[in-house]
Every structure is written in C-alpha cells, then in structure tokens.
Amino acid sequence: MRKYILLIISILSISVLLIAFVLKGQDSAEVASPDGSLKVEFSLEKGIPFYRVTRHHQALINSSRMGFILKGLPALDKNFKILKVDRTSLDEQWTQPWGEVKTIRNNYNAIVITLEEDEAPKRQMMIEFRVYNDGLGFRYEVPSQHAIKDFLITDELTEFALANDFTAWWIPAYRKSTDIEMDSEYLFRKNLVSTLTEKTHTPLTMQSGDSLFISIHEAALIDYPSMTLLHSRGTTLKADLVPWSTGVLVDVRGSLKTPWRTIQVANSPGGLIASYLILNLNEPNKLADVSWITPGKYNGMWWGMHMQKNTWQMGPKHGATTANVKSLIDFASEHNLSAVLAEGWNEGWEGDWVANGNFSFTKPYPDFDLAELSRYAKEKHVGLIAHHETGGNVANYEKQLEDAFKVCQQYGIHRLKTGYVNKMPGGEYHQSQFMARHYQKVLETAAKYQVMLDVHEPIKDTGLRRTWPNMMTREGVRGTEYEAWSPGNPPSHTTIIPFTRGLAGPIDFTPGIFNLLFDKTSTFRVHTTLAKQLALYVVIYSPMQMAADLPENYEGNPALKFIEDVPTDWEDTKVLNAAIGEYVTTVRKDRNSADWYLGSITNEKPRTLTIKLNFLTPGKTYQAEIYQDGKGADVNTNPLPVEITRTDVTSTSSLTLNLAAGGGTAIRFHQTN
Ligand code: NOJ
C-alpha cells in the first residue's frame, strides 16, 4: 500500500513539475548569444508581449512592449498564449561580392515564438529573436491565416526601454515643416535620450560611459515603412513608423513579415563599425551572375552644377554635352576612375524642375550624343553613369521604368544614379511604405537590366545590398554638396557619420574637393583641409566613390595620386581609434593587392595620434606614402597645404599622425617585399 501511495505521490509531483514547466514555457522564453554575453527574455504578462535584454547579466533594455494596433480590428497586442517555441542556431561564413570586408561570420542563436490569442478569432503571430555576440534582431510575422488577412496597422508598439540614459547622436525624421523633404540631410545633434523631443532617424547611435555603445536600426526593410524613434517616457524610445499620406502606417496584404528591429552593442565606437549584424539579417544574394557588378571611382560635371558653372538644362552652360563628357571620359581613363556621371543628359530640366518633375528618361538632349558617348567610353574602358532625377514624380518614373532601363541596356550602361528631390505627389514620405515599394521596384528592375544603383534622396539603407548586390551606394546624408550652397558641414560632421548613418550602409558622400576656397566673394567654402578630403575616401565607405571636383582643380596637384590609388573594394576594415564627433582612424586592406590604406580625420581640434601598424602582415615591408596636413594647415585659415612623404614601415612600426584643425591624414601602405 505504502508503495502505491509513494508511486501516486511521485506521479503527482512529476505532473506538477511538468505542469510548472509547461506553464513557465507558456509565459516566457529566453535565448542567449553564442558567447553568452547577451540574453533576450521574452515574456507574456497577462497575455501582453514584452522583451528585455541583458548584457553580462546587467540590464541593457528593460521590459519593453511589443505588438500592433490595427484599423477597425482588435489590436494584436494582448490576450496571447505561447503555442510553441522553436530554437535554431547558425554559424556560417559568407563572402561579399564586394564590400568593406570580404568574409563575414554569421553566428547566432534564435528563438521563434508562436503566439495565439486566447479567444476567438485566435489569431496567430510569431516573433523571432536572433541573438549575436554583437547585438540582436527581432521581427514579427503574421502568417497567412483565416482569422486575419488584409489589414491596416495604425501603430507598432515596439519599445526600447533603455536601462541607461544614453547620449544619442540623432537627426530629426519626417518633419512636416521641411519645405522639400530632404529627409535625413541634417547635421547630427547630441542629447541625452531622456531629453529627446523629436522623432529621430535610425541608426540611432548612443553611448553610456566610456565602454558601452549601442545603435538601434533595422534590417531588410521591404514593403514596410521605415522605423523612426520617438522618446515616450524616461529613457524609453518607441517605434514611430513613417505614415502614408492617409495616416495609416502599414498596408498589409495577406501576411506580414516586418523588417528586423536591430540593436548593435560594442565596447568602443569602432566595435559598431566591425559589426555586420545588419547584413547578416538580410537574405543571401539573389542574383546568379554578379560579374557585371564592379565597385569603382567616378567623376562628372556634378560639382560644376553645384558651383553654378554648369547647368543641368541645355543652354550655354550645359554640363552634359558630348564634348564635355568626352573630356571627362579622358580624365577618368587617365586617372584610374572607372566611370563618368552625366547629370542633365535628358530632357526635362527646364524651369523649376523640382516643381515640374516632368523628365524623360529615354530622350537625351540634342547636344548629348548618347550613341557616340557610349562608343567613346567603351573605347576608353570607362563606364557611363546614367542619371534619373525624378523630382519626386514617381508616377512619371514608373511609367517609363522599363523603357528607361532598356536605354541603359542598349548603350551598355551598368551604373545609374537616381534622385528624388521633392515630396512625392500626394505628400507621401520618402521613408514610407509607399516609397519602400517604389525603391524596391526600381532596385529589382535595375538588377534585371544589370544596372548598379546609386540612390540619392533614398529610403534608408537596411542592408539590402546583401540580397541585391547591385544596390551599391546611396546618399541619405548631408553630403559635400551642402558645402557649395549652404553654411556647410562643420569639421565634426564626418567624425560622426561613420558611427551613425554609416552603420546603415555605403554612403555616396562625394569627397575629393581640392578647390576648397572656391568662392572668394561669399562665405561658402568646404570645411576641411585638403588632406582630410583624401582621408574621407577611407573613412567613409562606399563601393562607388566620386572624385567630385572638376578636372581643372585636380590637374597638376600631386595629391591626386591618392585618389587614383585608393581602392573601393576591401578585404578587411579596422578602426584603430575613435571618439564619436572628435576623431576616427580607419584602415582598410585592398581586395586586389597586398596594400593597406589609412584615413584619419579630426573635428575642429588639431590632434596628434600615434598608431601601431600591427595590422600589416608580419615580415613584410611596406612603403608608407603619407599625405598629411602641411605646415601651417588649418581648416579656417589655411586649408590647402598637403605634405607628401614616403617612409618604409613594417608591422612592428608606429606612426605619429599630426592632424591640423579640421584636418586629416591619408596613407597608402604599398607592400614592397
Ligand atoms: C540632389 C542630389 O543629391 C544631387 O547629387 C543632384 O545633383 C541633384 N539632386 C540633382 O539631381
């Protein structure tokens, strides 16, 4: 009898344990990074989904809300139970067809939590967390199901309840007041998260103390609006999706997979740059043949337009004439540039082109002989870069899209710069789902016609270049052009960009201006020294880099050699030192030779930085060709002097870099034995 009683007791206690396990399993789930340093805990509190994140057992993100509010339907944010939790892990390496590094490790642990509502209609929603050593990503999925099909989202509830009051470098997002919505072309501001009063763009990069750096962004933004962040209370930020003109945020057809919400974490600013989490969270390359995708440098008459020396429209100062483009092709072929950008080649620039947005993307101006230029460029082994400025008139562009790309195909054009200056008709935002669909359509059409893209006034970069490697570079930043016709960019600007906008992806910043003091009659000028212009080719990553100045400003200047030499495709990248907003030193190894390149830049303060060259291959000798601020150089009073010196170095050498106020140093380490 006693035996039976004991058996019953033990069966009962096992069931209690089982029930407890199941109950615990139903309310929460957790997953840690492969090295165990980061841990995500998902939980349902009275059926409401929350997540929190710890790092080395300390809170990084406190309990944060998840879910959606829908239009005309009950919200997808409560009354949930956990149906199941699936676990996966991955540790693989993949190769970028081009990039800032060749090989990337993709190593994470993941959980997919399937939620179901307690009561009818018993809708299901999945949330997946992928946890890496350098951060995490999570996304929602509402699979195709009877209980919910097409629906409209009026709020995404995702929060980031930061455990510390981080200092953030931020720019405002989708301000209604901006006249033409040059979204994301702002100078960065630095504030405590608790004091932010405006919606901010991502990547939102933040610092707490000396050794905690995080950046919130997103990956794989497809058919969904961009996420901006709004301070909601204390140190909590909330997702604020860029709306349609109707006020709705997301139009879901059939099923939904959101972009990944990402949080990158590092001990140093450079650690954020060494994180390839955004790319890892994108799907692998979809293009079978990538032989036509080639990084490189380009020139054009672009700066001439911004200097008002040339015009886009046909007339006495027309920039894109056959003769002018031919001489730019000659310059490109003599100076190791692979392509020439012809802005203003097509009809439609007359009058107020921003307001009109009435461009043809197939008809060249009569003084631009496309057939002859295509022949001449081919003969000189230089590519032509077409230009499609839409003036925001997306409907006009989409009508011509196939024909426009057929013109590229017909003339062997594999590179295209697009532009979206102006709000879209109807008031749609650049960062909205409406535009996400448009940009994606152009990207996939470009891939079909073997065209690489450089998008200006883009939707933000979320790493889609992994999936469509013809997505080369984009603007989405306050670039060099602001130096031509505005108070310009203070020297600190470029010491912030690599850690903010740069984490999203490549930037067409258009460096390389030598004629820094172009207009003696106005206050407009470029706010760097000349050596810093060179350093920017290494510090700001882009697989298409412009030699932005006009040929006459380069001719005869020995500093041009650095622009000729510097590659745009890298095997490896390292940040040697950095303080966001103050200075940064980056080195990159050429993918096609044994050479390394260095770019070091400072803000308005002069500084001396000593660097160890232990990134070089041990046992090899390199000639360091150093372009540094010359004697008396200073961004305000004397920006032009550059001193070029050569010295032999090895991996055990150190170098002292002397950066002038607003200055920089650029170095080519050429392996000699
Ligand atoms: C603004 C772009 O950023 C600039 O590069 C371009 O020259 C003009 N739009 C005209 O398309």
Side-chain angles (χ1 to χ4, degrees), residues 574-589:
K574 292 177 198 291
V575 174
L576 300 187
N577 55 41
I580 303 177
E582 296 178 37
Y583 62 91
V584 47
T585 305
T586 306
V587 289
R588 302 190 196 265
K589 156 124 194 345

Side-chain angles (χ1 to χ4, degrees), residues 182 185 298 302-303 305-306 312 341 343-344 349 353-354 359 387-391 417-421 454-457 475-477 479 481-482 485 508 510 546:
M182 294 308 211
E185 299 183 7
Y298 70 99
W302 171 86
W303 190 240
M305 260 85 88
H306 289 271
W312 282 278
L341 166 65
E343 286 202 19
W349 290 90
W353 57 265
V354 176
F359 295 95
H387 184 226
H388 295 169
E389 171 57 64
T390 64
K417 171 174 169 179
T418 55
Y420 298 85
V421 178
D454 167 7
V455 182
H456 277 228
E457 299 81 35
E475 192 188 35
V477 77
E481 66 186 8
Y482 278 77
W485 34 254
D508 190 27
T510 58
M546 189 170 201

Side-chain angles (χ1 to χ4, degrees), residues 4 48 99 391 433 463 502 538 544:
Y4 281 120
I48 300 175
Q433 184 184 23
V538 183
M544 282 173 73

